[in-house]
Amino acid sequence: MTLNTTDTVPRSRARRLFSRLEGPQTMGSGPAFWTVAALVLGVAAAYPLIADAWTVGNAAYFLIWTFMAMGLGVVWGYAGALSFGQTAFFGLAGYAYGVITINLGTAYGLTIVALLLSVAIGGLFALVIGYFMFYGRIQGVFIGIVTLSVTLVLETFMAQTAGPQWRIGEARLNGFNGMSGMPPLTLPWFGGDIVLYPGPPLYYLLLGLVVICYLGLRILLNSPFGNVLVAIRENPHRVGMLGYDVRLYQMLAFGIGGAFAALSGALYTAWGQYITPSSMGLTSAALPIVWVAVGGRRDITATLIGTLVVLAGFQTLTIYGSQYALVVMGALLLVTVLAAPQGLIVGAMTLLGRLFQRSKT
Amino acid sequence: MTEILKVQGLRKAFGGVVVANGIDFSLSKGAMHCLIGPNGAGKSSFFRLLLGEHAPDAGTITFDGSDITGLRSFQRIRRGISVKFQVPGIFKALSVRQNLEVAFQDHLHGHSLSATIREMLDFTDLRAEEMTPAGILSHGQQQWLEIAMAVGVEPKLLLLDEPTAGMSPDETRKTGEMLHELNGRGITILAVEHDMAFVEQIAKRVTVLHFGSIFAEGTITEIIDHPGVQEIYLGTADV
Amino acid sequence: MALFQSVFGMLYQFGDTFAFLVISCAGLAVIFGMMGVINLAHGEFIMCGAYVTASAARAGLPLPLAILTGALVAGLVGMLVERLVIRHLYHRPLDSIIATWGISLIATQGVLIVLGSTMQGVGTPLGSIDVGGRSYSLYRLVLMACALGLLGGLYVLFYHSRFGVIARATIQKPQMAHALGVNTGRMYGLTFGLGAALAGLAGGLYAPTMTMVPTMGSTFMVESFVTVVVGGADIFVGAAPAAAILALIKAGLTAWYGQLFGQIGLLVTVILVIRILPGGLSGWLKGTTR
């Protein structure tokens, strides 16, 4: 009897957890949605078999950015706090990864430790900034200004670290030119480490991380925590009058968003083996806003798809010159805000859902 | 009779405007009490002070035996105060069910959460609207939804700011019945109300606020017959 | 003499920073204070003013006139932007920020494509004066005077002119102003245009001291944002004293620890101020005087 109960309790808890993969906070549910999702994942997994190594490395590059976008989706789309400074956490974690790995080396899977530490540093920094903002009752547009100022000042700071006196251990910060020469991610393995240069192995690692983070966020957003977040977005005053500490929830959401941006930053540094101050500059800071706004901020799936679509489009345009691509980005942002404030992907998904409903009935 | 709420010497001024001028007020457990007064008498400010949205300049607020004067709003709510605002404070983009989930999930989980939500949907007659976004409910339904959100986890004290504002006579009557039922379950109720017919329907005792002070207190008939109360409402003082 | 020299040095440093903060934030503060819109294209209006000023000056226009031309052009562009974009977003303040960011991207990169990565500027006029063996730019002293003049001019405009009265009425009670026959749409257009023109003026005034690059506007961004955040919504009660305080902090830290710590000091001040005074300086000052 006792064995029976101890067996069923964790199982029901796990079931409740997985039942939160679907819910009011996320679009897409039912067998049809998950079948399509599995098919997409299958195609993504088969991609390295048909594409050359360079293209796969490039696809890995796209995947790296999705974490920052999903984090911004949580902060902006769900919790309603528009942060312009996600790149601050991105850049900080990127530099942290560089400093840690250059000093510690790659043995014993230390690069993975460095990755985790960098994410923790970025997330903690976000919590600190979040504490000052939300406990200082900063709201609305001021959150945007403060976060943007933070990232721009960090950029200025890093750009001024030229010269041999700016070093942390073995790692030279190198000012405007940025830091380079840090090792890529390295997995300890029997009979020799696997070094994850841009290519299929790194691609699979990132694909796995994207799937885990995406599903994890779906569960989180449909949980009681996610319920409170969207309620705060709708009416923070009422949420406080239901007995919740609104500031705490906002700070935590901001910390989560910062940690996701930090994950992107550390992975980016490991992927390209360099990080520069301009990754925290005004143009870089605008890009996550473009991805998330164009895709649709109020749904994590739309954010993910939108980011990948915009990134792919951006790269195609870059062939004609990156300044043209940025003009198109700016125009896209303008058109989205004026014509489809919900986001283009959300609009498309709503339309698809409606068509699907109609064909069923 | 034990007191659930005791306010002593409560004072608050904004610049030269005194909104609470040494209010002494107490409410016994299980009461259903109305707070009336002409516009600008300080009723809303009194509620804000009780809820911790304003910090008083002087005075103490004791709730259920402990001093809550220094607590933040959400901490007071957690001790068992609940509130329904004049303008429905609901989450318009979320479904009725989600509104109730957010209201109850901090205290209830799993089956007891679903059971309470079902009970509250029945109580407010919103069963059919469970999945409807709250913003497209009728005005009366939005008010009831907010009452449901406020009482689902059985607060000790329910504060209502003009609960029937903008309601039809039929909706008003139904709201009165709801409040009687809630009071019957042991929830102490303090309501700010303008509609004297509604006050008669729900309250046994009434307090009149005027210029940030308690002007009179008594049963509904005593208050209606009180000459001073007629004066401050009709403005016939010294005529 | 050495004391006089170092005091003058400090004052100069302070005045220079104060002037920079006031001049660069005026346009942003007017648009934010009057309309509640954060204009992320602020830097691009500055760039526009600087480019027009430099071109006009090289075409032979005297510098003061060239600067006014720069401000005028930036103001007209601002009114156009308001008509085409901002007007549709008054009820969605967050979206209006994003839209202005889109405009900023288009403007920066568009100028890069059309005019190239740099443009020939104009030299700093007026030379320098010698105080106790060290030379100070005379033009920067002129800029300090301009900052004070700008504050005075804006004060007269908003508190002692018909435009100012109507503008403030429109902002505070739009429906009422509308009912009284004020063309509120035009007021918003003019206010945004004024803010853009002030940004253009900042660009024009600083054009002789800077390198002409399409991204030059971002140089002004942090400082002007910080001033507006610390100051709060009201430019006179908030932004001007905020500029003074920030200039003091920045000049002090720069003098003792260098440029970098000056800027970090600004950021730390901002974070502390928002924690202690949520309404900014103007919210605090108004709160205590009421």
Side-chain angles (χ1 to χ4, degrees):
Chain A
M1 247 349 245
T2 38
L3 198 137
N4 196 3
T5 47
T6 48
D7 190 23
T8 53
V9 166
R11 188 179 292 172
S12 77
R13 190 170 294 165
R15 190 176 300 161
R16 194 190 305 164
L17 210 60
F18 283 116
S19 74
R20 293 209 169 113
L21 282 170
E22 295 179 354
Q25 258 85 261
T26 51
M27 290 176 103
S29 62
F33 172 78
W34 292 107
T35 312
V36 174
L39 278 176
V40 171
L41 183 61
V43 171
Y47 184 64
L49 305 177
I50 50 167
D52 62 275
W54 187 86
T55 327
V56 173
N58 192 44
Y61 170 79
F62 288 170
L63 293 179
I64 284 170
W65 297 103
T66 57
F67 305 105
M68 177 151 69
M70 288 192 285
L72 179 61
V74 172
V75 174
W76 178 20
Y78 286 87
L82 176 47
S83 163
F84 287 146
Q86 295 305 99
T87 42
F89 316 121
F90 176 96
L92 185 67
Y95 273 97
Y97 177 83
V99 169
I100 297 169
T101 50
I102 287 175
N103 280 298
L104 293 187
T106 62
Y108 322 113
L110 276 174
T111 52
I112 304 294
V113 175
L115 179 76
L116 294 176
L117 274 177
S118 310
V119 171
I121 290 170
L124 272 179
F125 184 53
L127 280 180
V128 171
I129 299 285
Y131 168 78
F132 277 103
M133 288 197 305
F134 297 116
Y135 283 68
R137 273 177 266 159
I138 290 286
Q139 286 165 350
V141 293
F142 279 106
I143 292 174
I145 305 179
V146 171
T147 48
L148 186 61
S149 304
V150 168
T151 194
L152 293 183
V153 168
L154 266 182
E155 183 204 14
T156 318
F157 176 83
M158 281 304 171
Q160 288 175 359
T161 55
Q165 75 275 27
W166 286 103
R167 56 163 67 236
I168 301 172
E170 297 291 302
R172 284 224 357 217
L173 297 179
N174 265 339
F176 186 75
N177 295 322
M179 203 170 161
S180 58
M182 61 287 284
L185 284 176
T186 311
L187 290 178
W189 202 253
F190 310 104
D193 294 348
I194 302 176
V195 182
L196 296 173
Y197 289 111
L202 181 63
Y203 174 82
Y204 282 118
L205 176 79
L206 289 170
L207 190 63
L209 269 178
V210 169
V211 170
I212 291 169
C213 289
Y214 169 72
L215 295 180
L217 280 179
R218 277 187 82 108
I219 291 172
L220 180 78
L221 291 169
N222 286 318
S223 74
F225 180 80
N227 260 344
V228 176
L229 283 194
V230 291
I232 289 174
R233 180 188 72 202
E234 295 298 316
N235 189 343
H237 179 244
R238 178 75 251 190
V239 177
M241 288 300 165
L242 289 170
Y244 296 98
D245 189 351
V246 172
R247 307 164 304 173
L248 180 68
Y249 278 84
Q250 288 175 316
M251 185 181 83
L252 288 176
F254 196 75
I256 291 170
F260 271 79
L263 179 59
S264 279
L267 289 171
Y268 172 82
T269 311
W271 174 85
Q273 294 170 258
Y274 66 83
I275 179 89
T276 62
S278 67
S279 65
M280 294 179 279
L282 199 57
T283 309
S284 306
L287 291 177
I289 306 285
V290 180
W291 307 329
V292 176
V294 170
R297 58 185 185 270
R298 294 206 173 170
D299 183 75
I300 202 77
T301 314
T303 304
L304 182 63
I305 298 173
T307 304
L308 291 171
V309 169
V310 176
L311 274 167
F314 187 79
Q315 199 175 53
T316 317
L317 286 169
T318 307
I319 297 167
Y320 305 101
S322 72
Q323 61 268 52
Y324 289 97
L326 282 168
V327 170
V328 174
M329 286 298 111
L332 200 56
L333 199 54
L334 213 50
V335 168
T336 307
V337 167
L338 287 173
Q342 295 288 326
L344 300 178
I345 302 288
V346 165
M349 280 167 75
T350 316
L351 202 69
L352 267 179
R354 213 171 286 156
L355 286 176
F356 190 72
Q357 287 284 314
R358 197 169 298 161
S359 71
K360 240 182 10 187
T361 53
Chain B
M1 229 183 316
T2 47
E3 282 165 343
I4 184 91
L5 180 73
K6 189 171 175 64
V7 174
Q8 285 170 304
L10 200 64
R11 223 192 107 80
K12 176 74 184 176
F14 292 102
V17 185
V18 181
V19 294
N21 194 6
I23 298 179
D24 291 307
F25 177 80
S26 68
L27 199 59
S28 50
K29 217 169 247 180
M32 180 120 91
H33 199 103
C34 268
L35 201 60
I36 64 170
N39 280 328
K43 305 183 297 282
S44 298
S45 300
F46 182 56
F47 262 31
R48 293 225 172 87
L49 287 162
L50 289 180
L51 286 167
E53 291 189 86
H54 295 322
D57 299 332
T60 55
I61 303 169
T62 312
F63 174 70
D64 204 20
S66 53
D67 186 351
I68 60 164
T69 318
L71 296 186
R72 293 183 168 277
S73 300
F74 76 91
Q75 293 165 324
R76 299 183 188 202
I77 305 292
R78 287 202 179 157
R79 301 235 169 163
I81 300 182
S82 195
V83 60
K84 192 227 152 293
F85 297 104
Q86 185 179 347
V87 179
I90 53 171
F91 310 113
K92 294 192 172 177
L94 309 187
S95 67
V96 169
R97 187 188 174 84
Q98 257 187 297
N99 270 272
L100 295 172
E101 273 179 11
V102 172
F104 307 151
Q105 68 183 22
D106 218 20
H107 308 265
L108 304 167
H109 306 280
H111 293 299
S112 53
L113 177 61
S114 323
T116 307
I117 288 176
R118 232 173 297 129
E119 186 197 338
M120 281 297 131
L121 287 171
D122 288 340
F123 178 65
T124 51
D125 240 351
L126 289 171
R127 205 13 123 44
E129 284 81 12
E130 182 175 347
M131 290 306 168
T132 311
I136 60 174
L137 297 177
S138 77
H139 180 75
Q141 285 175 321
Q142 293 190 6
Q143 300 274 35
W144 293 332
L145 173 60
E146 200 189 5
I147 291 178
M149 288 163 70
V151 302
V153 286
E154 308 253 324
K156 294 174 187 146
L157 171 63
L158 173 62
L159 301 177
L160 298 161
D161 194 356
E162 301 199 22
T164 63
M167 278 190 181
S168 68
D170 210 35
E171 288 172 329
T172 303
R173 189 187 41 74
K174 197 171 155 188
T175 306
E177 287 166 10
M178 273 183 194
L179 296 185
H180 273 292
E181 192 184 330
L182 292 170
N183 189 234
R185 291 191 208 170
I187 300 175
T188 310
I189 294 177
L190 176 62
V192 163
E193 188 52 66
H194 274 306
D195 180 352
M196 285 311 280
F198 185 69
V199 172
E200 268 184 90
Q201 189 193 347
I202 63 166
K204 299 177 193 94
R205 288 186 74 79
V206 176
T207 297
V208 185
L209 266 184
H210 188 44
F211 288 130
S213 320
I214 306 263
F215 183 80
E217 188 167 330
T219 63
I220 178 86
T221 32
E222 283 168 5
I223 292 298
I224 289 175
D225 294 339
H226 192 296
V229 172
Q230 291 175 1
E231 276 170 24
I232 62 168
Y233 263 96
L234 301 172
T236 53
D238 300 322
V239 174
Chain C
M1 197 59 218
L3 180 71
F4 171 74
Q5 186 187 327
S6 62
V7 166
F8 184 83
M10 285 290 286
L11 274 179
Y12 177 85
Q13 183 66 251
F14 168 78
D16 189 36
T17 315
F18 176 75
F20 184 78
L21 293 176
V22 166
I23 292 173
S24 63
C25 90
L28 192 70
V30 164
I31 291 176
F32 176 62
M34 304 302 273
M35 307 165 73
V37 171
I38 289 288
N39 177 19
L40 279 178
H42 180 64
E44 280 56 52
F45 286 114
I46 293 179
M47 184 258 292
C48 170
Y51 268 59
V52 172
T53 301
S55 312
R58 279 191 292 118
L61 218 57
L63 187 61
L65 275 182
I67 291 172
L68 287 180
T69 314
L72 192 68
V73 172
L76 290 174
V77 174
M79 287 176 74
L80 188 70
V81 165
E82 194 276 342
R83 187 76 199 83
L84 294 178
V85 179
I86 311 296
R87 184 158 298 186
H88 308 286
L89 301 172
Y90 282 129
H91 305 294
R92 290 146 51 195
L94 286 184
D95 282 356
S96 67
I97 307 186
I98 297 170
T100 54
W101 205 339
I103 295 167
S104 155
L105 276 177
I106 296 173
T108 312
Q109 301 302 324
V111 169
L112 184 66
I113 293 168
V114 177
L115 297 176
S117 62
T118 179
M119 195 178 88
Q120 196 190 335
V122 284
T124 312
L126 298 178
S128 59
I129 54 161
D130 223 55
V131 177
R134 285 177 63 183
S135 73
Y136 296 95
S137 160
L138 209 55
Y139 185 69
R140 290 197 173 264
L141 292 175
V142 172
L143 288 177
M144 292 173 208
C146 286
L148 294 176
L150 187 64
L151 282 175
L154 283 174
Y155 180 78
V156 171
L157 182 64
F158 277 111
Y159 289 88
H160 295 284
S161 80
R162 204 178 131 69
F163 167 82
V165 171
I166 296 176
R168 285 187 298 138
T170 307
I171 302 324
Q172 277 160 18
K173 294 269 183 311
Q175 283 89 6
M176 182 61 90
H178 190 72
L180 290 173
V182 173
N183 184 343
T184 50
R186 211 186 63 177
M187 281 318 294
Y188 281 127
L190 283 174
T191 309
F192 197 88
L194 174 67
L198 288 170
L201 183 68
L205 287 171
Y206 280 94
T209 70
M210 295 180 74
T211 327
M212 299 278 127
V213 290
T215 53
M216 65 186 290
S218 65
T219 327
F220 295 80
M221 289 290 265
V222 176
E223 269 84 356
S224 44
F225 277 159
V226 163
T227 313
V228 171
V229 171
V230 172
D234 190 311
I235 177 164
F236 300 108
V237 188
I245 292 170
L246 291 171
L248 197 62
I249 292 168
K250 194 179 177 193
L253 284 172
T254 306
W256 279 304
Y257 301 106
Q259 194 83 35
L260 174 63
F261 283 91
Q263 198 161 29
I264 292 177
L266 282 191
L267 189 71
V268 172
T269 312
V270 174
I271 289 178
L272 289 179
V273 164
I274 59 175
R275 181 71 187 86
I276 302 162
L277 310 171
L281 274 178
S282 64
W284 181 62
L285 288 171
K286 281 181 177 168
T288 52
T289 51
R290 198 167 60 176

